[in-house]
Amino acid sequence: QDPLAPHPAGEGGLPGCIMEQPEGPTRELTIDEAVSFAIALQKSGQLAGAQELYRRVLDAAPERADALHYSGVLAHQQGRSDEGIGLIERSLALVPDQADCYSNLGILLQSTGRLDAANTSFFRDGCIDGSARRWSSGRSGGSSTRPRCSSRRPAITTAPD
């Protein structure tokens, strides 16, 4: 029996909230395990189960940056890109140096036609991970001058230089 298989409704609660051990009793998931399980559900196409698990994680830990990020990606997968943008932006407000978040934010912004904002997000991703590899990928508009990333400065500043 798969130890990560969700229980059917009525047999241990919501999908993904209880995990059966190969031998012995069931136990509740930790927040870290719940986020990992939600990501696994999302990757396997079980979007409703992933959404419910992210909701429960964020109810318990509303400032959990990784849950906000992946919940934002999930919202986009379900056709709610504007909601997804907000969730990823909340994640970045908590942990601003996450290149993958900027990359995913850029994808969501691009999908909603906000090309200049998407390009900025892709550029910030490049500044964080040491390259600007995504700057020209998928570009169909916006400024023709590529900004420079100098000395790996933070992508977001709270006050002007």
Side-chain angles (χ1 to χ4, degrees):
Q1 185 175 16
D2 180 2
L4 296 180
H7 291 283
E11 292 181 23
L14 296 170
C17 293
I18 302 289
M19 183 172 71
E20 260 186 53
Q21 299 300 308
E23 298 175 14
T26 61
R27 67 175 177 84
E28 291 186 18
L29 296 174
T30 66
I31 295 289
D32 287 342
E33 290 170 333
V35 170
S36 294
F37 189 61
I39 292 168
L41 289 171
Q42 187 173 0
K43 286 181 177 180
S44 70
Q46 299 176 55
L47 303 184
Q51 181 180 9
E52 177 60 23
L53 198 47
Y54 287 132
R55 183 195 64 75
R56 293 184 68 156
V57 166
L58 291 170
D59 283 349
E63 294 192 359
R64 180 71 189 224
D66 55 350
L68 287 165
H69 171 213
Y70 289 111
S71 184
V73 171
L74 177 66
H76 171 70
Q77 288 175 303
Q78 295 176 320
R80 300 174 289 123
S81 295
D82 287 329
E83 180 183 338
I85 289 167
L87 290 164
I88 294 173
E89 287 174 339
R90 282 179 52 203
S91 175
L92 284 165
L94 295 167
V95 184
D97 63 346
Q98 299 298 309
D100 288 346
C101 290
Y102 281 108
S103 179
N104 286 329
L105 179 60
I107 291 167
L108 272 64
L109 289 165
Q110 188 175 38
S111 76
T112 61
R114 300 176 219 170
L115 301 179
D116 284 338
N119 286 333
T120 299
S121 188
F122 289 136
F123 176 71
R124 287 178 176 167
D125 167 25
C127 287
I128 291 166
D129 77 4
S131 69
R133 70 187 180 284
R134 291 183 182 90
W135 178 256
S136 62
S137 67
R139 232 184 120 161
S140 59
S143 169
S144 61
T145 305
R146 180 177 167 227
R148 293 185 161 282
C149 179
S150 61
S151 67
R152 296 183 49 93
R153 293 174 49 201
I156 297 175
T157 57
T158 55
D161 289 345

